[in-house]
Structure formats: C-alpha cells, structure tokens
Amino acid sequence: MLVLALLALLQTAPTPPGEDPVAPYAMSDANAGGRPFKGVAMLEAFNGVAGIDRIVDDLVTTSQADARIGDIFKGQDMIRLRRTLREQFCVLLNGGCRYTGRDMATAHKNLGIQAKDMNALVENLQAAMRREGVSFPAQNAFLGKLAVMKPDVVTR
Amino acid sequence: MSPSTVAGCIAKLVVAITVVTASPAAAHEGRAGGKLMLTNGVTTIEGSSGGGISTWALIAGNETVDGIGGSAHVSVILLPDYRWESHGAAIGIHDRLELSYARQNLDTRDVGAKLGIGRGYTLNQDVFGAKLRVVGDAVYGSPYLPQIAIGAQYKHNLDPQVVAAVGGRNASGTDIYVAATKLLLRQSILLGTTIRYTKANQNGLLGFGDDRGGNRTVQVEGTLGYQIARQLVVGAEYRSKPDNLRFARENDWKTAYAAYAISKNLTATAAYVDLGSIATAERQRGGFLSLQTAF
Ligand code: HEM
C-alpha cells in the first residue's frame, strides 16, 4: 500500500495531451535500460536529436505497417510510444534528454513478444538508421545497447 | 574446377534445398525465418554451422526459439594437389538443437598415384553432427555471455582399406567439442572459440588415431571476424590439428574469409585457406568456396 502511494507520488508529470494515462510508476533515466554513450560521436553519427526523431518516426511507422509485427501495436498509445522512444534513444545516445517512460520489463510485459518479433523490429530499426545515413559501426554499437534489453522485452 | 563439376554441385544444392524445404517446418506460422542476417553462420566442412573450418556455437537455419529451420550447402576447396568437395544439410530445432549431415569427398589426383591407391582416387566420409546450445545468445543479452554449445560429430570414413594402409587405427570416430561464439555489437566484432577432443587424422579422411593407440587429443579452433555491413563479415580462422600418423605430417589450418549474405536465404563464402601438409603433399594453400541456403 505504502509502496503504491509512494509510486503514485513519484509520477509527477501529468498525462501529456493526446496520450492515455498509464499506471503510476517511478520515473527515472534508469528506466531507459542502459547507460548512455560517452561523448558526442554517437549523437553525431545519428545526426543529432533531429536525426533520432526521424529514425524513431520511421521505425514506428514501418513497424506498424509491418505484416510480421504490426498487430502488436494495434490499440496501443502510439503518441506516447513515439515520445518515450525518442526520449529513450536520445538518453542512450547522450543527446541531453530525460526519459520519462516505463522500464522495458513493465512496458512489454503483456505484449507476448517473441524472439522473431524482436528481430523484425531490429531490422526495421536498421533500415531506418540506414535511411538516416548512420554508419554501420554506429548502427551496431547502438543495437548493442538494445540487445541487452531483449530478456526484458521478449517474454514468450 | 571443370564446368561439369560446378553443374554437379549446383544440381546437388538444388536437390538438397528441395528436400529440406519440403519439410512441414518451413510453413511454421506462415512467417518462417526470424534470425538476423548472417546470425545463422555458414556451414563448416563438417556440416555444422560455423565459419568455414571452425564450428561455432550457432544453430543452423533462420528460425528462432519459436520454430524449426534448416540449411543446405555445397563447398569446394581447390588445392595444389587435391580437390575437396562437400555437401549436406542441417536442421535447427528451436534454436536449441542442430542435427547435421555432410558428405566429404577428397579427390587425391596425382597424390593418389604416389600413395599407391590410384590416380584420382577419391576418399569419402560421412559426418553426422549434433549440437546443443547450452546457454547464451550470440547476438543478444550480456556482451560478456557468449552463446555456448556442446556437440559431437560422428565421422564414418568410407575407405577403411586406405585408412589401414596409411596406419590409421579406426575408420570411424567421434569428435566432441564445446564452442563459444559472440557478436560484440559495440565493436562489430565476431569472436569464437572451440575446444575439440578428437583423434581424426586430416578430419577423419585418413582415419582416426594411429597403429600405436587411440591418440585422442585436445585441439583448439578460433575465429575472429568483423561485420562490415549487414550482409558482410570478413575474418580469419585458425584450427589446430592432431598429428597422429607416422607416414605424413599434419599441420594446423588457417583461413581468411568473407561471408556475404546474398539474401536471408542464401549466403556465399569465399576464403583463402592454408591447410599445410596433407598426406605428404606440402603447402596446400588454395581457395574455398561455399554456398549455403537457409530458411
Ligand atoms: C530492445 C528493444 C525495444 C525497446 C528499446 C523498446 C522501447 C519501448 C519504449 C521506450 C516503450 C514505451 C514505454 C512507456 O510507454 O512507458 C515501449 C512500448 C512498447 N513497445 Fe517496445 N521496445 C523494444 C522492443 C519492442 C518490440 C520487439 C515490440 C514489438 C514488436 C515492441 C512493442 C511495443 C509496444 C506495442 C509498446 C506500447 C506498450 C503500451 O503502451 O502499453 N517493443 N517500447
């Protein structure tokens, strides 16, 4: 009970316009699921925060339209997903953002994501990064951050 | 290699593909294949998935834990004094268990005459493999935990009289190994090593052990690769070998390779190989070419 009350207190930000409310959770950059890269090389490789935003938009749009995984996004709050995903990528790439979303285990726990869904998403991300002109070594280095999160995301 | 042998290899590959894809597993959930490009490896000369000469911890085929996949391959190695050819197929069950078969044929050309078995005598061997992924993921999870697999390769030499003539003790034998493989995404580097317990002479094509005893020894394989692009890995491999037979020296093997995924279902590998001395023929350096299809 006390924990719940505490958690409710911790979620200070109000629900942003256009988004659905979510169950209260403790907000922290640690929820992003990885330590940021040091320096600016990675951020530059992604063409800064503007590049990150384009990549996330591309990733979300192609994944929603993807016959392999599109169904998983149906009925979800895509406005929130785009916002939190941008924040997460920006935090990991040391772009000077705050991550206000949930941790990866909480965010994905009821989605029934399989290993091949993860790979499909990674392929879409690779394509989005390629279209943004991110070099292959930088793409892989970023994927390395996400790779560690797989056990939290893939629950089936 | 003559055009007719190329045609022969392609014909075999086509047959292998047809056999493999005819299995019901190919229709798994209507969306077969889920692995990222190249993360199924290529096929080794022993039919297991790996590099070209070293077995890796990867499981054959494009399927993940949720399905059953498979692969088929043909490979040729052109050396100054020999021509090697192998073909085979493998299935990967839930990215956990790999079962493989490969047929190896070594055309001894002029060396055959020298050894008294006849010019162009071809040594043949069947290799049946089983590999179990024990722990880890080559791509995902902690960068400090590689994918680790254990496996066995039962090798059945089809020329026992030649094995006996060169002093080999047995015409069949089993290699057992443990392999660890990791793609370090941060650095785009692929690392792998395999510890093999074997008594195979020249992979078993010259039998197993020698007339003095069993001679099982521990041998080491290593692989170091760099992923240049989604479809392209270049690297080098090393494989230490036993040296059991008295009639001829046996050397460690080295390769430098490039593996290119033409598509998710087709990977081509080309390598420069240095196989050292083989049955008294020195400095066997040449080219390795392999085509693998996977689903
Ligand atoms: C390591 C890989 C992944 C990362 C870094 C990631 C990141 C995120 C983030 C930041 C959120 C928002 C959290 C929040 O709302 O507080 C989220 C939610 C979501 N993710 Fe992922 N994700 C990954 C893999 C996947 C995969 C493979 C799928 C499906 C194919 C997927 C589908 C979803 C869906 C549908 C939501 C919305 C859930 C909801 O609103 O309740 N994610 N993800």
Side-chain angles (χ1 to χ4, degrees), chain B residues 7-86:
Chain B
C9 285
I10 292 170
K12 277 174 198 153
L13 181 66
V14 170
V15 170
I17 298 169
T18 321
V19 169
V20 168
T21 53
S23 76
H28 169 77
E29 286 190 27
R31 42 171 205 162
K35 276 189 194 153
L36 297 172
M37 246 177 192
L38 288 174
T39 62
N40 57 334
V42 299
T43 311
T44 66
I45 52 164
E46 281 140 327
S48 306
S49 66
I53 57 164
S54 114
T55 293
W56 298 355
L58 303 178
I59 300 296
N62 284 341
E63 272 297 342
T64 62
V65 290
D66 307 306
I68 298 173
S71 66
H73 83 283
V74 288
S75 303
V76 290
I77 307 177
L78 303 172
L79 298 168
D81 295 299
Y82 299 96
R83 203 188 77 90
W84 158 290
E85 183 266 342
S86 77

Side-chain angles (χ1 to χ4, degrees), chain A residues 76 80-81 84-85 88 99 101-102 108 111 113 118 153:
Chain A
Q76 303 292 350
R80 177 184 168 90
L81 180 59
T84 49
L85 209 51
Q88 184 192 34
Y99 178 65
R102 294 164 287 184
H108 299 94
L111 298 175
I113 294 171
M118 176 82 188
V153 170

Side-chain angles (χ1 to χ4, degrees), chain A residues 36-48:
Chain A
F37 286 99
K38 292 187 175 72
V40 292
M42 283 299 286
L43 186 66
E44 279 168 4
F46 278 69
N47 299 328

